[in-house]
Structures are given as C-alpha cells and as structure tokens.
Amino acid sequence: MKKIMMVSLMLTIAMALQAQVKVAPKMEKGTVKTYVAEATITLPGQGDVKVTADSKYSITDAKADSYVLEMVSTDVKTECEPGNIAGKLVAAAQEMMKDAVVRATLDKDGRIQNILNGDEVKARVDKQADTFIDQMLADVPQLAGVVSKDALKQQVSQALTIEGLVQTLQQATSPLALNGKTIASGSQEEFVSQEGLKMKRMYFVNGKTIIANSVMNMTEDEMKQTIIKQVEKSAPDQAQMIKDNIDQLMSTGMLKMDHKETATYELQDDGWVKSIVVDSTTETMGQTVVSKSIVTLK
C-alpha cells in the first residue's frame, strides 16, 4: 500500500510539473476590458495609503501580427494621513496619471512592445507636477528642509519615461504582465523591478490559475550600487556620505534590503486576466513596507 501511495504521489508531482499554459489573450479591434484596482500600502510609522482606480484597456487597431492598445485610468482616489510624506508621493504619482491616455503597440500574443505617445504623456503629467508638489510642500512644510522641489518632481515623474511606462504595463499588477509567456510549473525567470532590484521569479500553474513567487536575487556589490543610486536620486546631499561609509553600513545591517512578492492570476477562457492578487514586502534600512493589490475585471 505504501509503495502504491508513493507511486501515486510521484505521478501527481510529475503531472504538476508538466502543467503549462501559453498566455495569449484573444484580441481584435474594438475589444475593451475594464479593471478595478484596489491597493493598500502600509508604510512604517505613517499608516496606510489606499489607492483605487478604474483602468480601461481598449484595442483600437489590429494588424496581422500586432495591435494598438489604449490604456487610461479613471476614478482615481487616494487616501492617506495629512503628514504621510511617502503616501503623498504615491498619491501624487497616481493622481497625475488620471485620465492620461497611454497608447502602446502589442505583438500578436499581447506582449507590450513600445509606447507610441510617451513624450505626450510625460509633457501632460509634468505640467501637473508643479501644482501637486507645491501643495505637498504647503501641507508638509518641514519637507522642504529634507529634499528639494526638483528632487521631489524627479521622484514623482521618474516612471514616465518610455522605459518606465513599459515597465508599468509589465508589472505584476498589470493585466498584461503574463502576455506572450509560455508558463510551466517550476519555470523561472530573472527580471529587474521598477525600483531597480534584480529579482528571480518562479511560476506554478493549476488550470487557469497561475502563481508567481518573486524574491530578490542580488550580490552584495549589486546591492551597494543600487543603494547608492537610490540615495543619489532621493537625497543627493547625503550620497557622498553613503558612498564613503557603504561597507560599514552594510556590515552592520543598517542598509539591508529585501523584497518578496507573490502574485496570483486567474485567467478567463479568452486568455484575458479575470483577477490578480499581489502581496509584497519590501525591507530597506530596517523599515518594512507591506502592500496588497487586488485587480478585478468588471
């Protein structure tokens, strides 16, 4: 009996490892999918930031081997405490993208290829950045003594380059994230997060449900370089001090970094995502940020 059970278990494992799916949603001109996204980000010592938005994905043109997609976020709402600086940065980035139409080309499997109107989107958002940042500095006047207005503007708009917009449409919470991939249980891939962190992802497939577990995959030297780059962007006045003391700070654990993420996707029969649930934890310099996002097809 034990032998039969062991054989049965091994067969079950073998079948699970063979499970795979090609993600290539059905697309044609006129296809429209609207998703509701709800995100809660818990910041250390500053409470929660809550963001909700509707995002509409429309196929406006179709050719034999490519599509044109228009994506626009509407009904964007953010909630955070008045003194929550990090929360206000998150809120500003979300609010400024409200009603901004992003036009992109997709290949025949729906994988993002290029942004067609990146300069237009960036120019539109940049016009709003000054207003948002002036309001932020008025709400939290002590912020002016910590970081310059230009540095704040850079942080808010850094995702608005062509590369940044492509990454946004490929991130775990995007309905396009898996498009074009042939995914098997146990398969792995390496990628770079929007924060510039080198990551490794492993997939598990169960019918139309796909789970992607991601962990940081960086050497100590790579981590040092990433930390320095982040400090140069967010607090340039402190960059030289960090560079001079990076080894000591790393050895004491003061600059420890870690990031973990679990994303669960449920696909429809037409290949489009029905729902996404993403849980992530980021630890930087002893501070932990926890976020949970739920994306649902209307």
Side-chain angles (χ1 to χ4, degrees):
M1 177 64 72
K2 288 183 178 179
K3 185 176 181 180
I4 293 175
M5 290 177 64
M6 180 61 69
V7 171
S8 176
L9 177 60
M10 295 304 294
L11 287 173
T12 300
I13 293 172
M15 290 176 65
L17 291 175
Q18 289 178 355
Q20 68 175 34
V21 60
K22 171 69 178 290
V23 183
K26 181 181 179 181
M27 294 185 179
E28 57 187 16
K29 185 176 181 179
T31 297
V32 177
K33 302 287 183 178
T34 301
Y35 291 87
V36 180
E38 301 176 352
T40 301
I41 305 167
T42 303
L43 299 156
Q46 299 188 65
D48 291 350
V49 180
K50 296 182 179 180
V51 181
T52 60
D54 285 5
S55 296
K56 185 168 72 172
Y57 295 76
S58 306
I59 304 300
T60 59
D61 194 15
K63 298 180 180 178
D65 59 352
S66 64
Y67 303 93
V68 174
L69 169 80
E70 286 192 358
M71 192 278 288
V72 59
S73 294
T74 58
D75 297 327
V76 178
K77 298 176 183 177
T78 57
E79 299 177 26
C80 68
E81 294 297 323
N84 188 334
I85 298 171
K88 285 185 174 296
L89 283 172
V90 172
Q94 296 295 323
E95 293 281 357
M96 286 191 298
M97 283 300 293
K98 180 180 178 181
D99 297 327
V101 178
V102 178
R103 299 179 67 245
T105 53
L106 310 178
D107 69 11
K108 61 184 178 64
D109 292 326
R111 186 182 354 230
I112 180 75
Q113 296 294 294
N114 192 23
I115 303 296
L116 298 175
N117 65 332
D119 291 341
E120 174 188 326
V121 173
K122 190 174 188 309
R124 180 187 187 280
V125 175
D126 278 347
K127 286 183 179 179
Q128 302 177 59
D130 286 330
T131 300
F132 275 93
I133 292 171
D134 285 343
Q135 184 61 54
M136 189 186 307
L137 292 172
D139 292 341
V140 191
Q142 64 270 31
L143 186 59
V146 178
V147 62
S148 69
K149 180 177 178 179
D150 287 341
L152 279 173
K153 186 174 180 179
Q154 182 180 7
Q155 286 192 49
V156 171
S157 62
Q158 63 185 349
L160 299 177
T161 61
I162 297 293
E163 182 181 11
L165 289 168
V166 168
Q167 284 188 316
T168 297
L169 292 174
Q170 292 175 328
Q171 66 183 346
T173 54
S174 169
L176 308 179
L178 302 181
N179 287 2
K181 298 179 185 291
T182 298
I183 301 170
S185 285
S187 61
Q188 299 183 41
E189 64 182 10
E190 295 182 350
F191 66 100
V192 178
S193 73
Q194 283 189 297
E195 296 74 28
L197 305 178
K198 290 180 65 177
M199 306 286 293
K200 180 181 287 186
R201 179 185 286 134
M202 178 178 284
Y203 290 102
F204 299 90
V205 180
N206 182 12
K208 289 185 171 62
T209 299
I210 300 171
I211 299 174
N213 291 328
S214 302
V215 295
M216 205 165 75
N217 183 36
M218 299 176 70
T219 66
E220 185 172 308
D221 285 341
E222 289 171 335
M223 199 176 298
K224 289 178 184 178
Q225 293 303 313
T226 299
I227 290 170
I228 290 170
K229 286 180 180 179
Q230 290 185 350
V231 173
E232 286 175 339
K233 288 181 180 179
S234 60
D237 293 343
Q238 300 179 36
Q240 191 59 50
M241 183 273 289
I242 295 295
K243 288 180 184 179
D244 294 340
N245 297 279
I246 187 75
D247 290 325
Q248 180 182 352
L249 293 170
M250 291 288 288
S251 66
T252 61
M254 290 182 65
L255 293 183
K256 179 184 176 182
M257 294 178 64
D258 195 18
H259 180 67
K260 298 177 182 178
E261 179 181 272
T262 297
T264 301
Y265 303 85
E266 184 180 353
L267 303 180
Q268 295 192 125
D269 290 339
D270 64 0
W272 281 85
V273 168
K274 181 179 180 181
S275 66
I276 309 170
V277 177
V278 180
D279 292 285
S280 71
T281 302
T282 303
E283 183 179 343
T284 306
M285 302 182 193
Q287 302 295 309
T288 301
V289 177
V290 178
S291 70
K292 185 180 187 69
S293 299
I294 300 173
V295 182
T296 309
L297 180 65
K298 267 191 171 182

